Amino acid sequence: MVPATAPPRVPLPRRPLMGTRIQRWYEEELGWAVVPGAQVRLRAGLRFDVLDMPAAAGYAVCERLGDQGTGPVALQGNTLRFLVAAGSAEELPGLLDWLEWGALAHDLRAVGAGGLIDAPLPPAMAGPRGAAVWLRPPEPGCEVEPTLPALTTLGAGAAGPHLVRLVDAAANECHRARLLSATTQPLAFW
């Protein structure tokens, strides 16, 4: 018999159901490698790399290139993430130099082999405020690689978007966003 003054028993914590659903969607629907945990993370460098940039620049890139000029795009906080072909992160510094953006594209970063990003919520799944979400999600059941921007020979009839166009547009928009934010800052005379 339990005394009337005994505190109620609290069940042990369970593994988060939402994290399991997200993990299952990535592993089973897309075949992507994940790192499970309280926040499911995706491994870059295996099936894709990631270009990330400030959201203002990223939205301008999406508008400029349209649906066919980018692969899947995710938003997390004030950062837009563009999925690109695996190996593209290694190409970014040389490509920026070749396009003559090397010294100017400070806000354009790449995540490649060994890197992790927070897994955006699968389409139609609600989550906490500020969670990563897809703006242009990958299509389950389809190979994502042909839809990712990659270095291809121009005019070779490649199916996917071209990485050079994406990087050039991204560097241009990152630089433009930086210049616009500098003009809105008050001038300091000291």
Side-chain angles (χ1 to χ4, degrees):
M1 178 144 219
V2 176
T5 58
R9 297 191 78 175
V10 177
L12 294 173
R14 292 190 222 170
R15 189 171 176 197
L17 180 60
M18 189 165 121
T20 304
R21 286 179 48 208
I22 294 170
Q23 179 181 342
R24 199 170 34 240
W25 187 78
Y26 281 103
E27 291 176 336
E28 295 173 8
E29 296 291 325
L30 298 175
W32 291 2
V34 299
V35 177
Q39 172 64 44
V40 177
R41 306 200 63 181
L42 301 175
R43 291 189 186 278
L46 300 175
R47 307 270 312 259
F48 59 84
D49 284 353
V50 179
L51 292 181
D52 71 35
M53 64 197 74
Y59 285 123
V61 169
C62 287
E63 184 175 315
R64 185 173 176 181
L65 297 179
D67 290 345
Q68 302 304 313
T70 69
V73 180
L75 169 69
Q76 183 170 18
N78 291 325
T79 302
L80 246 62
R81 294 192 168 115
F82 292 76
L83 270 58
V84 294
S88 297
E90 295 172 11
E91 301 291 335
L92 184 63
L95 190 52
L96 286 170
D97 286 343
W98 182 71
L99 292 167
E100 298 182 359
W101 284 110
L104 299 173
H106 300 292
D107 297 331
L108 179 60
R109 292 176 299 280
V111 180
L116 299 171
I117 63 166
D118 290 347
L121 296 170
M125 181 183 276
R129 186 180 181 121
V133 294
W134 287 110
L135 298 179
R136 294 182 181 161
E139 294 182 35
C142 297
E143 286 296 317
V144 74
E145 286 84 354
T147 68
L148 298 178
L151 283 174
T152 58
T153 306
L154 290 175
H162 200 280
L163 183 65
V164 174
R165 285 189 204 106
L166 175 60
V167 169
D168 189 41
N172 185 306
E173 296 301 338
C174 284
H175 186 63
R176 182 179 307 212
R178 182 179 285 259
L179 289 175
L180 288 173
S181 71
T183 61
T184 61
Q185 301 295 324
L187 295 176
F189 297 100
W190 359 315

